[in-house]
Amino acid sequence: MSERVAIEVRDLRIETRAGAAIVEGVDLAVERGSILGLVGESGSGKSTLALGLLGYCQAGLRIARGAVHVDGTDLLALTDAQVRSHRGRDIAYVPQDPQTALSPAQRIGEQIHRILRRHAPERDTPETVALVLQRVGLPADRDFVRRFPHQLSGGQQQRVAIAMAIACEPAVVVFDEPTTGLDVVTQARILDEIRRLSGESDVAMIYVSHDLAVVAEIADRVAVMYGGRFLEEGATADVLQRPLHPYTAGLIDAIPDHRRFAMPRGVPGVAVAVGERPAGCIFEARCALRVPNCAVEEPSLDVVLPGRAVRCFEWERTPPLARPERVEPALAGDAEPLLRIEALSAGYSAGGSTRLVLRDIDLTVARGRSVALVGESGSGKTTLARCIIGLHPPASGAIRLGGEDLAPRARQRSLDARRRIQLVFQNPYDSLNPRQPVGRQTAWPARRLRGLSSTDADGETLRLLDLLRLPARVAQRYPHELSGGERQRVAIARALAAAPDVLVCDEITSALDVSVQAAVLELLAELRSALGLSMLFISHDLGVVAAVADDVLVLDRGEICEAGPARDVLTAPSAEYTRQLVEAAPALEGSDGGGAS
Amino acid sequence: MAEALRSSDGERQPNPFIRFLWRRLAVGVVLAVVVSVVIFAATDLLPGDAAQAILGKTATPEAVEALRVQLGLDRPAVQRYGEWLGGIAQGDLGDSLSTRGPVTEAISGRVVNSLILAGLAALIMIPLSLAIGAYAGTRPGRPGDLVASGTSLVFIAVPEFVTAAFLILILAIGADLLPPVSIVAPGTSPLATPAILVLPVLTLLLASLAHNVRMVRAGVIETMHSPYVQMARLNGLSEREVVFRHGLRNALPPAVQVIALNLQWLIGGIVIVEFVFQYPGVGQLLTQAVALRDIPLVQALAILIAVLYIVINIVTDLLVVLLVPRLRTAGAS
């Protein structure tokens, strides 16, 4: 067996210059022809580990301890120059964002040539480059080889990055979130490609991702990272079916799945920060199963079942996965239409001509209903949201709220009309004023749009923060002092401060970790039933849609190609485009236990 | 000429780069014409009258009037402007009031002298600023960088006439290595006595180099932190290749723009430096021409300098487009 092992890591520790561990005590081994998935949320140290596998650290970090054997050679025992001769030849790396990772000033053929020239000069021929491009499903003609990175689509760029990685036929390839920036259909194709390469080229692969559903589709084994450590490791299907660590169980429960209409559940608490790592178990503070010993002693990663390792004293008590069926909100009998969009078209003018990005959109959000608008990037979803709240005047069509026509621009609308529709933006890092305490920002809509006195508005702020499960002291904080999930909840509180009838949510969970996303989704469901709020939920993530929407509209290049109740659209799509989306969306195979061989 | 450019712009041009080139040239010509109007208006129409300026306040009205007729100032301004512009197009810049000979004759030798001075400074400045900037940018915060950055800050803070004074004090008066003034005998080339060029070139160099070094350094620091540089390292490329092909290469477009700004500054800076060293270039000529109220000469020099600015701008734009594939292939509009 051991000669099949292409990479073996022992007791790896990567720390900051100040001595705080980012990665601690990692052991792993991957055989040729097999794929190990590394799953973790932001701050888990997964990307640092991925780079560490190539003996590389970003500025400010250092590898403090351990060994990384690639094809029998310990990279960490070598000089810089020696390690460089292994990187790209024996172990290669595929970056997260190929758009920035490919040098903008070099033709792609040239970039592949340079790697060959460096590591395998005898194979540095146009024929090799053509062959490598063909292996990743790209055209290999002269014209393509002479293109610059910006002339390729995102999917093609990622294929080029993969081609560069396999050019020298390495023993190991490390993929660091290679599909995160891609749409689901492209993502599905790239995953197919990686799986095929793994099958035919006898390479050991390590696939790093925040997305357990993606890893479930591709990895033979999976390791779950948290706070720089492995908490659990095992065959993918086993781990997904019967997680042994409470964190793994929580993570799986948090993943929305468009094939099961279950409500995702958030993992309580906030991820542990670097430098605040406790003496005992790293997950202790957020764990429901903790016992006194957990705070004192750190459990080791022990093999407890054949092929299964877990870092937990109480693993036997980890409950089996049981996700609550989604609670359907009690619908008002009449379901009177509240927001109505009729024959709306909108576009952007460039150089005298207008390019329509939305054509003939009809859409109704009834009181108390939640309508999801699904589409890929570029389908026009965000433009529609901007039209509705009056930031982008439509080319034609009408927007009605409770039977009343709305003016195309927000500043032409009455204060009350503005109050009744509120938007929550995608990115909570950009949508809050960094120079104002968040309490001031949530109080403002209440004062301006509802005419509350400043005292009443402050009271309203506290009530809303409480409703969104944020402590009252958050009101005095500045955005940078809050985590992403907290910021997004502040942004929702700011929208609710206007006491709106309709809440337009534009991809509001896409910048968040899954466990945080689940908490936000749960909260939205509660708010809907508590406040009778109507929602227009814009998302590209079918799992999220399945968790929150009553009705779904699918937007394909500016036109609605399918509409109907969420269950019907997601389980039995009728439009070809919807079928592709549903097919391509990664999902945990979960209960039926299929998945990796 | 502008007509010809515009018509070719309208025709089919397969190469977007060529089209971009034509368009920039056409804009440059239009710009030069606009500048010529401003120069003509400023020197000829606004402050009184050339004849009055030449003869001074004590001249009799008759004498002024006679000179006006002699200089052609009694004709309408539009007509005179047309003649002036037509003359320029044919290479005739008019007659100098002080030398009484053609302006072209008065300035040709001076232009060559100035080009030698600025050209030498530019020739040294460009490669040197790239080298020092790349050196400092690849080791930010380390001793080599601190010396380079610190020194350049000093030279940015000090005006060039102060630098010049210091250099004269130390190298010419103190150490007696070089002549303190750079007088060129009429009819000879400054290249015949290279020693006189050292101090003016060094002054220009020190003043313009510092900005460039800082910009190149900042650009290299940024690109060295980019994902593609990390990627190049993860592909095991040699550090040399990483720095030159990825780091410095992608820092070039912004650096080119700053270098161009400094080339334009050189043209202005040269006026002061030539004055300090009494070097017979256009700068010195310009100050003399202003003092002597030699309006045709002032106009000629001003339009010359303006055209040089425009040319440098066009060349810079083209270079940037050539250096950035995204712009080159998109046909830059």
Side-chain angles (χ1 to χ4, degrees):
Chain A
M1 163 183 167
S2 65
E3 69 245 30
R4 297 282 302 155
V5 172
I7 179 166
E8 189 174 9
V9 174
R10 259 177 292 152
D11 195 25
L12 186 67
R13 178 183 161 97
I14 303 175
E15 58 182 30
T16 61
R17 297 264 172 228
I22 308 288
V23 170
E24 171 72 56
V26 164
D27 295 279
L28 65 84
V30 187
E31 288 180 29
R32 287 179 173 274
S34 119
I35 305 180
L36 170 71
L38 277 184
V39 177
E41 296 189 278
S42 40
S44 63
K46 58 185 188 302
S47 288
T48 304
L49 173 59
L51 293 173
L53 297 179
L54 289 96
Y56 183 90
C57 279
Q58 275 174 328
L61 301 182
R62 62 188 201 96
I63 297 177
R65 195 175 64 220
V68 177
H69 290 276
V70 173
D71 234 5
T73 313
D74 181 5
L75 296 186
L76 305 186
L78 303 177
T79 65
D80 278 358
Q82 287 169 326
V83 179
R84 269 202 290 274
S85 71
H86 286 277
R87 283 184 203 141
R89 190 185 70 190
D90 299 322
I91 179 164
Y93 180 85
V94 177
Q96 173 164 5
D97 185 359
Q99 206 182 339
T100 56
L102 296 176
S103 185
Q106 269 182 22
R107 299 176 194 279
I108 58 161
E110 175 73 6
Q111 305 203 25
I112 298 173
H113 272 303
R114 296 228 159 250
I115 295 173
L116 288 167
R117 201 168 307 159
R118 166 83 172 100
H119 296 299
E122 71 287 351
R123 289 178 54 241
D124 179 24
T125 60
E127 290 72 39
T128 315
V129 171
L131 200 71
V132 169
L133 287 173
Q134 277 161 6
R135 281 186 64 199
V136 295
L138 286 172
D141 52 278
R142 216 182 103 76
D143 171 62
F144 191 82
V145 171
R146 286 180 54 79
R147 288 203 198 168
F148 288 98
H150 74 268
Q151 295 171 308
L152 308 181
S153 70
Q156 286 177 322
Q157 288 171 343
Q158 194 53 282
R159 280 165 202 266
V160 169
I162 296 172
M164 288 167 72
I166 62 169
C168 300
E169 301 184 343
V172 184
V173 179
V174 178
F175 295 87
D176 188 0
E177 305 241 23
T179 63
T180 301
L182 305 174
D183 63 71
V184 278
V185 177
T186 313
Q187 164 172 287
R189 294 209 188 106
I190 296 280
L191 290 177
D192 278 343
E193 212 70 63
I194 294 173
R195 211 179 292 118
R196 191 176 56 71
L197 287 171
S198 150
E200 69 184 30
S201 60
D202 213 32
V203 182
M205 292 183 175
I206 292 163
Y207 191 99
V208 178
S209 178
H210 70 284
D211 190 338
L212 196 47
V214 167
V215 170
E217 298 223 328
I218 194 161
D220 303 305
R221 294 181 69 77
V222 59
V224 178
M225 274 191 94
Y226 181 81
R229 291 160 176 79
F230 280 6
L231 294 189
E232 174 160 11
E233 209 240 318
T236 308
D238 295 346
V239 172
L240 292 180
Q241 205 167 24
R242 178 72 183 93
L244 300 183
H245 198 284
Y247 175 65
T248 315
L251 206 54
I252 295 173
D253 272 342
I255 297 173
D257 185 339
H258 67 281
R259 286 174 204 168
R260 290 183 302 172
F261 280 78
M263 192 65 207
R265 271 194 316 206
V267 179
V270 196
V272 62
V274 174
E276 294 177 3
R277 294 183 174 171
C281 172
I282 193 90
F283 188 59
E284 188 259 349
R286 297 174 76 182
C287 186
L289 302 182
R290 62 174 171 266
V291 293
N293 190 31
C294 294
V296 184
E297 193 187 335
E298 180 172 16
S300 53
L301 185 67
D302 294 327
V303 176
V304 292
L305 294 172
R308 302 289 306 272
V310 63
R311 191 189 286 276
C312 181
F313 298 122
E314 300 294 314
W315 64 271
E316 281 164 300
R317 290 204 293 131
T318 303
L321 294 171
R323 209 190 276 186
E325 214 17 41
R326 184 181 130 182
V327 186
E328 303 290 342
L331 295 173
D334 54 349
E336 146 213 7
L338 182 63
L339 177 69
R340 192 159 207 161
I341 290 162
E342 283 165 17
L344 182 133
S345 295
Y348 294 88
S349 48
S353 65
T354 303
R355 197 173 54 85
L356 283 185
V357 294
L358 289 171
R359 277 179 299 273
D360 256 337
I361 303 292
D362 286 300
L363 178 162
T364 304
V365 182
R367 195 175 287 283
R369 297 283 278 186
S370 164
V371 175
L373 190 65
V374 177
E376 298 294 321
S377 52
S379 62
K381 329 186 275 293
T382 295
T383 305
L384 184 57
R386 291 170 59 83
C387 288
I388 293 172
I389 61 160
L391 286 177
H392 184 91
S396 61
I399 303 168
R400 292 207 176 84
L401 183 64
E404 182 192 332
D405 264 323
L406 291 180
R409 290 171 197 278
R411 63 165 178 271
Q412 302 163 331
R413 296 181 185 174
S414 68
L415 273 190
D416 196 56
R418 282 190 245 173
R419 176 191 66 76
R420 293 176 67 191
I421 305 180
Q422 289 292 312
L423 175 67
V424 183
F425 291 91
Q426 173 169 9
N427 191 336
Y429 296 87
D430 296 342
S431 66
L432 295 173
N433 183 341
R435 302 284 160 84
Q436 242 181 37
V438 298
R440 282 254 290 287
Q441 305 186 46
T442 51
W444 182 245
R447 291 175 60 185
R448 168 90 175 121
L449 298 175
R450 286 161 69 192
L452 297 188
S453 70
S454 110
T455 327
D456 289 350
D458 289 342
E460 182 69 358
T461 289
L462 293 181
R463 189 183 72 80
L464 287 168
L465 291 180
D466 186 54
L467 190 66
L468 287 149
R469 299 208 206 101
L470 291 166
R473 60 181 147 74
V474 164
Q476 269 81 51
R477 297 280 160 84
Y478 288 86
H480 70 91
E481 298 175 273
L482 305 177
S483 72
E486 287 171 327
R487 282 184 225 206
Q488 197 57 292
R489 279 185 278 170
V490 167
I492 297 171
R494 180 177 59 180
L496 294 180
D501 296 336
V502 181
L503 194 61
V504 181
C505 302
D506 185 7
E507 298 264 18
I508 61 169
T509 60
S510 66
L512 306 176
D513 273 325
V514 262
S515 66
V516 179
Q517 162 176 286
V520 171
L521 293 179
E522 275 181 293
L523 203 59
L524 280 179
E526 277 171 39
L527 290 175
R528 263 184 75 200
S529 39
L531 308 176
L533 211 56
S534 311
M535 285 191 349
L536 181 62
F537 202 93
I538 295 171
S539 180
H540 70 282
D541 186 331
L542 295 182
V544 169
V545 168
V548 297
D550 303 317
D551 301 302
V552 174
L553 293 116
V554 183
L555 203 55
D556 176 18
R557 277 160 292 170
E559 284 175 88
I560 289 176
C561 69
E562 181 160 5
R567 250 171 224 279
D568 298 353
V569 174
L570 295 182
T571 52
S574 59
E576 176 54 33
Y577 178 70
T578 320
R579 236 196 311 277
Q580 276 181 22
L581 280 186
V582 170
E583 198 109 311
L588 301 171
E589 295 299 327
S591 47
D592 56 17
S597 50
Chain B
M1 190 171 157
E3 280 308 303
L5 291 181
R6 227 170 268 127
S7 70
S8 74
D9 192 34
E11 281 163 25
R12 284 173 293 117
Q13 284 289 351
N15 190 335
F17 180 67
I18 303 289
R19 222 175 60 208
F20 173 75
L21 180 77
W22 284 124
R23 197 177 312 156
R24 287 301 283 120
L25 278 175
V27 170
V29 169
V30 170
L31 209 58
V33 170
V34 171
V35 170
S36 74
V37 171
V38 172
I39 290 171
F40 189 82
T43 52
D44 204 276
L45 300 179
L46 292 179
D49 181 290
Q52 182 78 60
I54 292 166
L55 297 175
K57 286 209 173 92
T58 54
T60 59
E62 292 75 27
V64 171
E65 194 47 45
L67 188 57
R68 281 177 60 96
V69 173
Q70 188 196 338
L71 294 175
L73 293 179
D74 54 336
R75 284 171 299 141
V78 177
Q79 193 188 344
R80 280 183 288 124
Y81 171 73
E83 286 169 13
W84 181 60
L85 200 61
I88 292 177
Q90 294 163 24
D92 173 17
L93 293 166
D95 288 337
S96 160
L97 299 183
S98 51
T99 66
R100 305 277 163 177
V103 166
T104 39
E105 222 164 78
I107 65 175
S108 56
R110 300 298 193 105
V111 169
V112 172
N113 286 354
S114 283
L115 282 179
I116 289 173
L117 194 56
L120 276 176
L123 223 58
I124 303 172
M125 167 188 70
I126 294 170
L128 200 60
S129 58
L130 290 178
I132 299 178
Y135 173 83
T138 47
R139 44 180 70 64
R142 305 231 298 263
D145 170 46
L146 294 181
V147 171
S149 309
T151 318
S152 55
L153 261 185
V154 170
F155 285 111
I156 287 174
V158 179
E160 63 272 21
F161 51 85
V162 176
T163 313
F166 266 104
L167 288 175
I168 292 173
L169 197 64
I170 296 166
L171 295 175
I173 299 174
D176 199 19
L177 293 171
L178 295 160
V181 290
S182 309
I183 298 169
V184 181
T188 62
S189 166
L191 289 174
T193 46
I196 62 161
L197 285 169
V198 176
L199 284 181
V201 168
L202 197 59
T203 307
L204 287 173
L205 193 60
L206 285 176
S208 59
L209 187 66
H211 270 118
N212 289 340
V213 166
R214 292 191 66 78
M215 278 310 291
V216 175
R217 172 183 178 271
V220 169
I221 288 178
E222 194 186 316
T223 53
M224 290 306 283
H225 277 106
S226 71
Y228 50 80
V229 162
Q230 173 174 309
M231 202 54 228
R233 289 190 167 138
L234 290 172
N235 281 326
L237 301 184
S238 68
E239 198 57 23
R240 226 180 103 93
E241 187 164 353
V242 171
V243 170
F244 285 100
R245 261 180 216 290
H246 295 274
L248 186 57
R249 170 66 183 79
N250 286 301
L252 278 183
V256 164
Q257 286 165 331
V258 177
I259 288 174
L261 275 181
N262 273 301
L263 286 180
Q264 293 173 339
W265 175 87
L266 270 184
I267 300 168
I270 223 166
V271 175
I272 293 168
V273 171
E274 286 178 0
F275 184 79
V276 171
F277 290 99
Q278 297 174 40
Y279 180 87
V282 283
Q284 200 196 35
L285 188 61
L286 185 59
T287 42
Q288 287 166 359
V290 170
L292 294 171
R293 312 274 195 273
D294 189 345
I295 285 162
L297 193 54
V298 171
Q299 286 172 335
L301 289 171
I303 191 88
L304 189 76
I305 289 172
V307 167
L308 212 52
Y309 261 72
I310 292 170
V311 168
I312 290 176
N313 267 336
I314 293 176
V315 172
T316 311
D317 284 356
L318 294 183
L319 259 180
V320 169
V321 168
L322 281 177
L323 285 171
V324 181
R326 183 185 292 276
L327 298 177
R328 196 187 331 162
T329 53
S333 59

